Amino acid sequence: MKGASVIVKKFPIEHLDPMALLGSNDANLRAIEHEVPVRITLRDGTITVSGEEDAVSVASRALKELLELAERGKVVEEADVATALGRKNGDQGARLADAYEGAPGYAFDRKAVRARTPRQAEYLKALEEHELVFAIGPAGTGKTYLAVAAAANALRTKKVERIILVRPAVEAGESLGFLPGDMQEKVDPYLRPMYDALADLMSFDRMRRYIELGVIEIAPLAFMRGRTLHNSFVILDEAQNTTVRQMKMFLTRLGVNSRAVITGDITQIDLANPETSGLVKIQTILGSVSDIRFIYFHNEDVVRHRLVRDIIKAFDQYHARMNGTGEDGVGTSLDPESPEAPGAREREPGETGGAQALGETSGGETESSH
């Protein structure tokens, strides 16, 4: 605003590794400037934020959170900046740095895996503490990758005897029958993302040996019927493309000493009738079941190329224009903690983490049995 007074705040960072806080070419500072109308400079080991009072307050609050992350030894990433700025309206919850406390990290043959956003930290903790976890949210948030990492760690530490990776063989405009080759060759294209995640964590020879021995099994969902899976870590990926019946079939496969992770993005449903998605309806069904954890990822958790977050945001705006709702892989009707959710309400004391307003079709329809 013309004529408004300019205020200045300074933050000394001589005690920190500049790259850990600022990123390459001071990218983290530029990200703050991109979102908030302030000027940020770095000189003689001091960060200076200048601008109008409200803008400086927002930027300074985010910067303080990022400084604390760096002081705790974390390399600050773009996703942390987005999360810190997302809390700019005075989030009274735990500090950003506290969100990473207690989150496990894994070291594999090829790389180390750790949480890159507070929601990922929550997800990794849930994978360690709960036998059944649902991860719902947009592409690029690490839902599948972190689940595969947790499964590989459980196998390595002998908590389970095998890993079973499952996907529904559903694609837009194409079916298994039109693909060349035998059944394994037909299903491989659908399961390739899981192969990629495994290959990123362990050597190809080890992965191939595990697959040959059946220690790691990668299969389409249709192959799960009639089985009981003991001592297994089971991951169902792309669960938005399951029906309620398929979801029930999968969840009832679990045997003794097994755990399951179900991941999906409800904005990418390839079913002929999206309202039949088992992932859309599952929390209404399981909301009263204890010890089941639902984790909701949002735009600020995207850890792929920065353009992916911008693309998702653009689609959110498109959906908002078209139908008055936002969709970021969770949807305003799904996350019970979202103040924008239709019918959002305060939780009653003792209420479980299950949502109450999730995924029922209009008119309270239920899937009929044939």
Side-chain angles (χ1 to χ4, degrees):
M1 182 182 298
K2 188 174 181 180
S5 59
V6 174
I7 66 171
V8 175
K9 288 194 175 181
K10 296 180 180 291
F11 300 89
I13 62 166
E14 299 99 330
H15 59 300
L16 297 173
D17 175 5
M19 280 292 294
L21 172 65
L22 308 177
S24 177
N25 297 320
D26 298 342
N28 294 334
L29 298 185
R30 303 292 79 81
I32 296 176
E33 287 183 323
H34 179 72
E35 296 293 330
V36 186
V38 294
R39 175 177 171 77
I40 304 178
T41 58
L42 173 64
R43 183 174 299 172
D44 298 329
T46 299
I47 294 175
T48 301
V49 183
S50 60
E52 296 181 16
E53 183 175 2
D54 289 345
V56 170
S57 177
V58 169
S60 296
R61 187 182 298 118
L63 192 54
K64 286 178 182 177
E65 297 232 45
L66 300 178
L67 280 165
E68 186 174 3
L69 277 183
E71 288 170 346
R72 295 193 183 193
K74 186 182 186 302
V75 176
V76 177
E77 303 188 54
E78 185 179 0
D80 294 313
V81 179
T83 302
L85 289 172
R87 298 153 65 92
K88 62 188 177 185
N89 293 323
D91 189 337
Q92 298 302 311
R95 293 175 299 178
L96 178 59
D98 292 336
Y100 290 95
E101 290 297 319
Y106 310 123
F108 295 101
D109 296 346
R110 291 181 173 273
K111 67 187 304 182
V113 176
R114 59 179 176 78
R116 295 177 60 184
T117 75
R119 194 74 64 175
Q120 285 190 351
E122 182 183 358
Y123 184 36
L124 286 175
K125 286 185 277 189
L127 292 174
E128 292 288 324
E129 298 168 2
H130 296 268
E131 295 177 342
L132 182 56
V133 177
F134 288 82
I136 302 172
T141 51
K143 303 183 300 295
T144 302
Y145 189 87
L146 293 178
V148 171
N153 183 69
L155 179 65
R156 180 180 58 182
T157 56
K158 302 187 184 304
K159 293 179 181 177
V160 297
E161 296 177 357
R162 57 180 173 164
I163 299 171
I164 301 176
L165 308 174
V166 184
R167 284 184 72 163
V170 175
E171 291 295 338
E174 188 173 39
S175 65
L176 286 175
F178 292 102
L179 295 175
D182 59 21
M183 182 55 70
Q184 188 61 46
E185 291 172 323
K186 286 176 183 288
V187 301
D188 274 356
Y190 297 94
L191 304 172
R192 180 54 54 185
M194 292 191 173
Y195 284 113
D196 292 342
L198 283 171
D200 201 37
L201 299 175
M202 62 181 67
S203 69
F204 177 78
D205 288 342
R206 175 174 295 186
M207 182 179 72
R208 183 179 61 182
R209 185 170 69 253
Y210 280 162
I211 292 174
E212 289 174 350
L213 294 172
V215 175
I216 295 177
E217 178 182 350
I218 306 177
L221 178 61
F223 288 13
M224 293 297 104
R225 186 172 296 279
R227 302 181 61 181
T228 301
L229 307 174
H230 296 301
N231 301 309
S232 302
F233 198 118
V234 193
I235 301 172
L236 173 59
D237 194 29
E238 300 291 347
Q240 74 275 4
N241 289 329
T242 65
T243 65
V244 173
R245 287 186 182 183
Q246 288 174 323
M247 183 70 77
K248 177 183 177 182
M249 181 272 289
F250 172 79
L251 293 175
T252 53
R253 300 307 94 200
L254 290 183
V256 177
N257 191 40
S258 288
R259 55 183 58 215
V261 183
I262 296 89
T263 71
D265 174 355
I266 66 153
T267 68
Q268 299 192 52
I269 299 174
D270 296 315
L271 299 174
N273 182 2
E275 291 184 348
T276 65
S277 170
L279 188 63
V280 170
K281 295 190 175 185
I282 194 62
Q283 196 172 342
T284 295
I285 297 169
L286 299 182
S288 62
V289 179
S290 61
D291 202 34
I292 294 178
R293 186 68 190 278
F294 288 82
I295 302 292
Y296 298 95
F297 291 94
H298 295 281
N299 296 346
E300 61 268 23
D301 299 302
V302 173
V303 292
R304 290 181 183 167
H305 193 284
R306 62 176 181 81
L307 285 177
V308 174
R309 186 183 300 116
D310 294 338
I311 289 168
I312 292 172
K313 185 182 296 185
F315 271 98
D316 288 350
Q317 294 169 349
Y318 166 78
H319 286 293
R321 291 195 303 270
M322 294 298 292
N323 55 30
T325 62
E327 299 290 351
D328 63 355
V330 173
T332 55
S333 65
L334 285 178
D335 189 346
E337 298 180 0
S338 170
E340 300 173 356
R345 59 176 177 80
E346 295 292 330
R347 279 190 192 162
E348 299 296 332
E351 185 175 336
T352 65
Q356 305 298 315
L358 175 80
E360 294 186 354
T361 58
S362 60
E365 294 178 356
T366 58
E367 182 175 75
S368 61
S369 175
H370 298 285

